[in-house]
Amino acid sequence: MKRWIISIVIFSTFLFSSNFEKIAYNYFYALVNENYKVAYNLSSNIMKQHLPIEKIKKIWQQITSTYGKFEKIVKLQIIEKPPYKVFIFTSKFKKSNLNISITLNKEGKIDGLFFSPAQNVEYKIPQYVKSDKFVEKDVKVGDLPGKLTIPKEHTKYAVILIHGSGPQDMDETIGPNKIFKDIAYALSSNNIAVLRYNKRTLYQANENITIKEEIINDVLKAIKLLKDYNYKEIYLLGHSLGAYVAPYIATINDNISGLILLAPPARNLEDVIADQLKFLQNTSNEILQKLQELKENKIPNDEFVLGAKAKYWYDLRSYNPLKYLGKVKTLILFGKNDYQVTLKDYNIFKEHLTNNTKIILFNGLTHLFIPGEKTPNAYLIENHVDAKVIDEIIKFIKN
């Protein structure tokens, strides 16, 4: 199956919080794309003396012969060392990881380039997690590997985490961040069991997959698993696409006590993604026209649009969460710096709130509910789900 929709679009381009950041990225990708003249032109005069074009080329060829082909950036760290600013790109190559450090002087010229072996990015437990309060158990949700974090004290509360779009692991790993792991450990530190599992599209290559096969059927299996563990109150916590379909699941299964929706789209996804692409400023009018035709039902069912067949998009419309709000108590959370599911969706939900629905907008948080600026680059900076978000979820579940 072609890799698709929101989770892939976010890394299709870069927006920059500063001109220095843009220069560092341009230099990095000049190396990756073997545009050595571009890298040379971005360099300071001293750097040009030490690294002429042929030497840059030779160094990069040595790197790729040793580490293999560059695959992706897994982490970005920015260090201030006045008058310098250092950008450390932890990068995944075919054979192993490598730190590529690019130093800029105060004029915005490249003044240093260093390479060093990098370990795999290790998860750091957030300060709000109390590891002695729970245990973690390997489980299976149908045929999908998962983990159940179980509080050591008896509890009646349990939460199922539902992924956003695209192939996702159980931690919803994006760059160095693992937002589902943060949430699972935080809630279980507060006497709430949490079930998370690998998403089906991490394994299943099927161009004809539907949202039921992608998400819904597995959530129903997860509910049954928690019932077998005798949890009395089961909550669904969905992120992005997972939040979009969670209210529907609550209408077809009577075991759901409440919903937590993180950045749920209120509009059809073709509208959400069109706005996202416009924000990223890296798309052709042809793609936007294709999304408009999709919106007007003019695309044949089996034609691909952004990696998914048109019939997948058409089917998604029937699960719009606004149709299903109100059956159970619901907490809806948005980040003000979310460029993927935006204030447009937040305002639509505000207009459709029911008596048992609460909505909160957090300043300074991204689509991942971590602190960061309104750019895709924020996802590459290591961080954790904000403690304020965790506190609101816990209060909501425990009423």
Side-chain angles (χ1 to χ4, degrees), residues 289 292-300 303 314 317:
Q289 179 61 35
Q292 182 62 33
E293 291 172 6
L294 186 72
K295 182 178 177 180
E296 296 170 359
N297 303 318
K298 293 179 179 179
I299 307 291
E303 184 175 328
Y314 296 149
R317 296 174 186 172

Side-chain angles (χ1 to χ4, degrees), residues 201-225:
T201 48
L202 197 60
Y203 311 101
Q204 184 173 333
N206 182 351
E207 294 178 347
N208 295 307
I209 198 168
T210 66
I211 196 66
K212 286 187 176 180
E213 294 162 330
E214 182 186 5
I215 293 179
I216 295 170
N217 292 344
D218 293 320
V219 176
L220 296 176
K221 293 173 188 173
I223 295 168
K224 183 180 185 304
L225 177 65

Side-chain angles (χ1 to χ4, degrees), residues 62-124:
Q62 289 174 341
I63 290 294
T64 54
S65 66
T66 302
Y67 291 92
K69 185 178 179 181
F70 168 79
E71 294 183 355
K72 65 178 180 179
I73 301 170
V74 294
K75 180 181 175 181
L76 171 63
Q77 186 178 7
I78 303 173
I79 299 175
E80 299 279 354
K81 290 185 176 181
Y84 301 104
K85 183 175 282 193
V86 183
F87 295 81
I88 303 174
F89 297 90
T90 301
S91 305
K92 185 178 186 300
F93 288 75
K94 186 174 183 179
K95 296 179 182 178
S96 65
N97 287 358
L98 184 69
N99 284 329
I100 301 175
S101 300
I102 299 171
T103 302
L104 274 71
N105 62 25
K106 61 183 180 181
E107 284 80 33
K109 293 293 186 179
I110 306 302
D111 230 8
L113 173 65
F114 303 94
F115 302 91
S116 61
Q119 302 298 320
N120 290 331
V121 177
E122 293 187 5
Y123 176 75
K124 297 180 181 66

